[in-house]
Amino acid sequence: MESSTGKDFKIGECQGQKVVDGEVMPLVLLPPEPAKADTESLVAALKKNREWFDQMIIKNSAVLLRGFDVKNAEDFNEIVEACGWADIRYIGPAPRTHIYKRVWTANEGPLSEFIYYHHEMVLFKENPKKVILFCEVPPPEGGETPFVPSFRVTERMLEEFPEEVEEMEKKGLMYTFTAPSANNISSMRGRGWQDAFGTPDPAEAERRVKAMGMDVEWLPDGGLKTIIRPRSLTRVFEGRKGRRMWYNTVVGMHGKEISSATMIDGTEIPDHVVKRCGEILDEESIQFKWEKGDVLFFDNMALLHGRRPSLPPRKVLVATCK
């Protein structure tokens, strides 16, 4: 660690860490001493070391702050604001509740279900560069937030399915997703269109959807079907070693009851390719057991993340940043 930060953080370890392409994921940062474990000291350290901390997130893709006395949404919001990144409002199907200022609940879908790996808001023109998670109540069993280095998925898919990958890349992707007329909290994708797009007015909802580069189809039951195209299979982002990220949600949306993923000309993506991609995602995943007060920073350009099934209670809050 650079000398300028040595007085503010101490490097630690956590079970489940992996070294990927020479970098530890996640990088674990601890209080430098017990007297500096309070939120006030952490906020001051983050403000002092903003540039360095941002570099660590890009370098290691995931940074875990552990051992600090972060108690609640108010403390978490202070930490988020100390980093200096602008807020970006979540848009998507996951049921979420606003808690405090920039803080929301993570996906409130049933804890018994696995949430597929995804880059946050990957389908939209503007998506967050940073996703920040805070564990207020760790689950008694399960409930990990596994994450996957996106470039590793691209590398392995190219090894196993070079022709299929290049066909999808060349043609581009098309997705459809149906938002119900009202919220359905029994589903992890049950957010109604009124909540998802922030208006009860169908005309305004349609305007907002189209402003995000999507087409709209209204269904007889009052639901809203969005058609999203064209979208790329992979992307390369500045400052990330030229890595080709698996920047799509094919596995999560292909062949589902309320969603689909095909090539833009309507060509189906072979089932066995999607199935194997799901296996690769799991094989490349990294996870650790949540502890109370943990704050986890993701580079959303570089990592996909999900959620393991969990026993209750589990309370993880989230903030998304530009």
Side-chain angles (χ1 to χ4, degrees), residues 75-140:
D75 289 351
F76 179 43
N77 188 75
E78 279 195 61
I79 291 164
V80 172
E81 294 195 340
C83 295
W85 306 310
D87 186 41
I88 182 170
R89 184 182 185 273
Y90 171 76
I91 299 170
R96 293 182 173 182
T97 302
H98 182 240
I99 301 296
Y100 177 77
K101 292 189 176 177
R102 294 175 62 170
V103 179
W104 294 70
T105 59
N107 191 320
E108 295 180 304
L111 289 176
S112 59
E113 293 187 35
F114 173 73
I115 296 177
Y116 64 90
Y117 298 104
H118 60 285
H119 290 275
E120 200 68 32
M121 293 169 56
V122 67
L123 296 181
F124 301 104
K125 288 182 177 179
E126 184 179 32
N127 39 51
K129 292 183 178 178
K130 310 287 194 307
V131 174
I132 314 172
L133 300 165
F134 161 58
C135 182
E136 187 170 355
V137 180

Side-chain angles (χ1 to χ4, degrees), residues 32-51:
E33 56 184 86
K36 292 187 176 181
D38 59 288
T39 301
E40 186 177 352
S41 296
L42 173 57
V43 166
L46 290 170
K47 288 180 177 178
K48 176 183 172 184
N49 299 289
R50 275 182 180 178
E51 186 177 346

Side-chain angles (χ1 to χ4, degrees), residues 311-322:
L311 292 179
R314 179 189 190 270
K315 188 173 184 182
V316 173
L317 304 182
V318 65
T320 46
C321 307
K322 293 183 180 179

Side-chain angles (χ1 to χ4, degrees), residues 59-80:
K59 176 175 174 286
N60 295 82
S61 300
V63 176
L64 173 62
L65 300 180
R66 173 164 281 182
F68 293 93
D69 189 24
V70 187
K71 296 185 180 69
N72 51 39
E74 289 80 3
D75 289 351
F76 179 43
N77 188 75
E78 279 195 61
I79 291 164
V80 172

Side-chain angles (χ1 to χ4, degrees), residues 283-299:
E283 290 166 8
E284 293 293 331
S285 69
I286 301 166
Q287 66 182 34
F288 59 86
K289 294 288 185 183
W290 281 114
E291 294 184 6
K292 182 176 175 59
D294 280 351
V295 181
L296 178 61
F297 293 75
F298 284 149
D299 177 1

Side-chain angles (χ1 to χ4, degrees), residues 258-270:
I258 60 171
S259 67
S260 69
T262 65
M263 289 177 240
I264 203 165
D265 64 355
T267 303
E268 291 291 337
I269 302 169

Side-chain angles (χ1 to χ4, degrees), residues 19-32:
V19 176
V20 181
D21 196 24
E23 306 298 347
V24 175
M25 298 184 188
L27 172 67
V28 180
L29 299 179
L30 310 172

